[in-house]
Amino acid sequence: MMGTEDKTLFCFCHWGGKNKVLPDGSTSYVGGITDQIIVKTGIKYNDFVNAVFDRLGIDPSDKVLQFTVKFDRAQLIRLRDQEGVNTLLQFNDGFAHVYASSSEKEPNSEVAPNMATTRISTTEVEAVSLGSAEEEQVSADTPIPATSNQWITDGTPDAAANWSELLVGEGQAFENADAFRLAVFKFSIANRFHYRILHNKPRYISIHCAADGCPWKVSAGVEKKSQNVSIRKFIDSHSHPPLDSSQLKPRIRMKWLGGIMQEDILGSPDCLPRKVCEDAEKNLAIKLTYRQAWSVKQRIREAINEKSGESYKLIPWLCNRLVEAMPGTIATWSCTEENRFKRLFVSYDCSIRGFDVGCRPLIFVDVYNLNELHNSSFIVASALDADNEMYPLSYGILLSMNEEDLMWFLEKLKLVLQNREVVVVSGTSLPFLSSLDKMFGDENHSFCFHCVKENFNNFIDGNTAFKVQGRGKEIALKYLCDIAYARTLDSYNEALGKICSFRRELYDWVIASQPERWSNALFRKPRWDHLNCKSTDSLNSFIEEEKFVHVLELMEAYHEKLYMLLQSNKLKIEQWNLPIGPRVAEKIFENQKAGDNLAVTVLSDVEFKLQELQGREEVVNLKLWTCTCLEWQMTGIPCSHACNAITMTSMNIYQYVADWYKRETQEHIYAEVMDELAKFDIPHPDDIISSASSGNDIVLCPLSPHIKRPPGRPRKEPKGLQVETVKRPIRCSKCGGVGHNKRTKCSSAAQ
């Protein structure tokens, strides 16, 4: 084993289910059974295998084990020997997944079972569908050579075999006539023959093989009691061999094609119609036009939206279940006067308690767009744990970003904070500025420096009065960073002077952007050196696959992700070898290394003067935990000057780290974590009444919101954090005055 670090992994053991492919390439195990074992460094191969099979309660004689690694959850790796166990431990952090499967079903490729793959070989078919005259049909003009009868079209590697057995015999029932016609179409593709529909009546359908004299035929009719369509007569024999590839030109109704390609399109909701064309030609030998591919994608989206509309009825049930599972959880929603869903707020009791007992009074508010719900937003409030990792606190869903809905969300967030005074770091979107200032006070509201820098960059690129490119632009951004991270007023003024001498317009922009909201030197409340929305990058990956689903699925997925995150972070505490976390320890190591070359002058038992190579002097007071550079006071972590002084006294440096970063604090934060969500008794949406009591207007459950498509071309990318563009003031090129140009109201021009 390459690594020598001791590890403890929470190992998920799976058996009997299938892997569902998520949009980010990872897999989610559906069906079967899932159990767990705890694995530690040094475990032997035989002990590990026995532990997995004993936990699952299955016979290991004809089974194989596979596992994944943290940087590629979609790739299954065969577990054969001790080296495989060592690899599993080394390349997973916190938790791992092990899959048991029958040896005769083990795939030769290295992809997970039931994952969408490319077509290995294609059988050329001609299928004639006699739908209604208005149904649009498409055909393949270019046949693809066939080497076997295996098709990979619906996401499973055994699609061809399944399609060849779709028609079984007389008495087989189908939900409706369309389901029967689609089954005949797939059956003809798998068995490579043409067919024609002789009778296509509402209550009776008769289909024969298109070849002359061939006895193959199937007929079906509507049952009187169940109204299902069942096969009445089925002759499954042909008087001719299967068609060769040169004769295959499948024809299919558009809604059938949408059903076949539905899983692939939902797996990549941002895929372009051109990609749909490529997949249809690659997997089905059907050549689509751009318009037809766009139509397929729209049909699928409309079907999903219609189906998901019923799920809004289950939101009250899920909110009640969250509160029942964890008393103290806040899960509330509201609707419009027409009983249409409007907004949602959820904060788990374990998150509320963890924030109250150990997290610093600092939260980050991020806003993301939900692609399936036009103009709706997903808002997440997060804090930091003792190792500076993201700690989700609460989330909300708003169908509109108006001030009323924002204030509603912030009022709920205020209840979670229990009137604790906090500093809020958020983007510079215009709705949030006024709402956050009203709720928390402008002195407690800090702008995300990432957004400020983005605005600064846009200002440079978008202006027409001057050009700053290449090396000049890098220097301007460096000066802006110096202004933001300067701790003292002298350092701030020095950096501000540099950008003023570089370009006056950039200096004016900085002054207009309210630097007292984002600069370290001017912002008066503690931010522990976190100027950016800390959770931005983590949150993107946290909800990436949930951006395109409806509200109920998003709630369930968020619960599952948060459960995994909290469990993983709790297990990581056992791996702490120091009184502080790994990230904080790394920061102290960097400060110690930077302080090695400082010249030290002892002023007293607790005071030290340190001189940098540039001649700058700083004074450290170990009794007061202060340094004139202000880094120690702002971060709670000894700066390079303090590290050098502490080394001189031979004291334990970890005693001078703020309690926010200690192991005890981390244990308090993760003392309580949530359990998995129990959904075994979830009702069906049709069993829930969606109405309001006429007496006291008590809403029982919400209906789906009315969503109107926004005008204009859809965005290519979802909106992320909103940023405000600060306009530069107009300046005269002749007199240098502000507010006019050289052609209007300029005294020098008049002369």
Side-chain angles (χ1 to χ4, degrees), residues 20-21 114 116 154-156 258-268:
K20 178 183 177 182
V21 184
N114 279 341
D154 61 355
T156 64
I260 295 174
M261 301 186 67
Q262 175 171 317
E263 183 175 346
D264 291 335
I265 294 179
L266 291 181
S268 302

Side-chain angles (χ1 to χ4, degrees), residues 346-358:
V346 176
S347 184
Y348 294 93
D349 179 65
C350 59
S351 297
I352 299 174
R353 290 177 180 268
F355 176 79
D356 185 54
V357 300

